[in-house]
Structures are given as structure tokens and as C-alpha cells.
Amino acid sequence: MSKRELKDSYTFEELREIIADLRSEDGCPWDRAQTFESLKKCLADETQEVFEAVDSGDRENLCEELGDVLLQVVINSRIAEEEGSFTLDDVVNGICRKMIRRHPHVFGEAKASTPEEALGLWKEIKRRERAGEL
């Protein structure tokens, strides 16, 4: 693990590397000790803080709080990768596939011209997925 300098701008890949460093043998004892179970409250708290930032209209704070939620996604994905369950790339792949599958009015042949029609398509596709029809 190399020493990191604080800089003005980072990439998503650098976030992944920073979390890997924190979870490494030479990393942070607190971060290394975290589990899916221990992080549940952190995710719930950070999500609540997003809601509060939205309600307050404070976009700067919203940006910070969304970063905290993203941190929870990345660290939980890192824990899963360490145990061999799945990777962050699997999470990204899964959500991309879901967004394309559930938006046939954008990426396919279906039509939806109102938010209500789009939501109806989403709900029907979700129902069919759960029923094993898709």
C-alpha cells in the first residue's frame, strides 16, 4: 500500500482502491473489522441523512451524504469480494441490466409517454421477474 496524498479530485476507481487500502492488512483497524451486519446501521443512518439533505434543499450537503451512501455500497461490495461472494463490478452489472430490462420504453419497443405509464411498465416487469416469467 502506498502513501496517499490529499488532492482536489479523485476517480471512482481511486475510491475502490482507497477502500481496498483501508481494508488491507496495513489499513485501518476499524474498517478491517466491519462486516455486513456491523455496517447495517451505518447504511441506515447515511440514508436518513440523505433524506434530511433533500428535505432541507441543501445541495452541497446532499452531495456529501450521497457520497457517504456510495461509501457504504463500495465497502459492502469490498467485503463481499474478500469473501468471494460478488464484486462491485457484479453490483454495477446487475443494476445496469435491471435498468435496461425495466425500461423497455427507453431501450426497447414499449411505449410510455407519462410517468404513470412508465411506472406501470416497471411494476409489471418487476412482477414478472418475481414470478419467474422473465
Side-chain angles (χ1 to χ4, degrees), residues 14-63:
E14 288 172 307
L15 172 60
R16 291 172 75 155
E17 292 168 2
I18 290 166
I19 299 306
D21 288 349
L22 291 172
R23 297 264 314 157
S24 74
E25 187 175 312
D26 296 326
C28 173
W30 186 90
D31 287 291
R32 283 196 325 265
Q34 297 315 298
T35 65
F36 297 124
E37 292 76 18
S38 69
L39 290 171
K40 283 171 42 177
K41 182 165 179 3
C42 295
L43 179 56
D45 290 347
E46 297 302 349
T47 301
Q48 183 59 44
E49 290 174 8
V50 167
F51 298 160
E52 292 167 6
V54 168
D55 291 344
S56 75
D58 183 342
R59 297 300 190 245
E60 186 174 325
N61 184 243
L62 177 59
C63 181

Side-chain angles (χ1 to χ4, degrees), residues 2-10 14 18:
S2 63
K3 183 127 174 110
R4 291 193 182 268
E5 301 276 335
L6 191 60
K7 57 185 191 175
D8 291 335
S9 182
Y10 293 88
E14 288 172 307
I18 290 166

Side-chain angles (χ1 to χ4, degrees), residues 43-105:
L43 179 56
D45 290 347
E46 297 302 349
T47 301
Q48 183 59 44
E49 290 174 8
V50 167
F51 298 160
E52 292 167 6
V54 168
D55 291 344
S56 75
D58 183 342
R59 297 300 190 245
E60 186 174 325
N61 184 243
L62 177 59
C63 181
E64 179 181 342
E65 298 306 338
L66 288 171
D68 291 344
V69 170
L70 179 59
L71 167 63
Q72 293 303 311
V73 172
V74 175
I75 196 168
N76 274 278
S77 297
R78 178 64 191 187
I79 293 168
E81 184 175 349
E82 291 168 3
E83 72 177 26
S85 298
F86 59 86
T87 67
L88 183 57
D89 289 335
D90 295 327
V91 173
V92 170
N93 183 56
I95 195 62
C96 288
R97 291 178 54 81
K98 181 188 290 186
M99 291 299 99
I100 291 168
R101 193 174 55 246
R102 292 195 184 170
H103 289 86
H105 53 290

